[in-house]
Amino acid sequence: MTYVIAEPCVDLKDKACIEECPVDCIYEGQRSLYIHPDECVDCGACEPVCPVEAIFYEDDTPEEWKDYYKANVEFFDDLGSPGGASKLGLIEKDHPVISALPPQEHDE
């Protein structure tokens, strides 16, 4: 089990979750953040600080965003397990599920 970042994060990337994550497992893509499923220790520190409630425990992800589990896992297919997001910084890609979305509107 792991945590998942879903659609409310797309085109927002608030990054409060990154600051709270004790194991540095939240990576930044072009349009969204991603939680590495093998590096996440399921501590849950990221979930309550997300201002748009985009982070869910895998089993609690709303039905309309179930594909985001797959997106979070597959985002790392070619990256492997880098052992910390801060080493990489911005990763110049997104999962196809996120890339295919139209620009997301967010209230400031």
Side-chain angles (χ1 to χ4, degrees):
M1 293 297 177
T2 188
Y3 281 83
V4 174
I5 297 178
E7 189 171 306
C9 184
V10 176
D11 295 328
L12 178 67
K13 299 193 309 185
D14 175 79
K15 300 183 189 174
C17 57
I18 291 174
E19 295 172 21
E20 287 298 316
C21 180
V23 294
D24 194 27
C25 73
I26 303 174
Y27 292 73
E28 181 181 4
Q30 283 289 119
R31 297 180 62 197
S32 187
L33 302 176
Y34 301 83
I35 297 175
H36 196 296
D38 295 331
E39 296 175 6
C40 178
V41 295
D42 300 334
C43 71
C46 58
E47 187 178 20
V49 299
C50 180
V52 292
E53 299 179 356
I55 302 173
F56 301 92
Y57 194 63
E58 177 186 342
D59 287 347
D60 298 333
T61 306
E63 195 59 43
E64 70 265 26
W65 295 327
K66 288 291 186 189
D67 287 347
Y68 285 83
Y69 171 75
K70 182 178 175 183
N72 275 252
V73 171
E74 291 177 356
F75 180 79
F76 298 99
D77 281 353
D78 61 336
L79 293 172
S81 187
S86 59
K87 295 179 196 177
L88 297 183
L90 175 67
I91 299 165
E92 300 284 335
K93 71 170 193 161
D94 277 303
H95 186 273
V97 166
I98 282 96
S99 295
L101 290 171
Q104 302 297 296
E105 304 269 336
H106 292 284
D107 295 331
E108 301 296 321

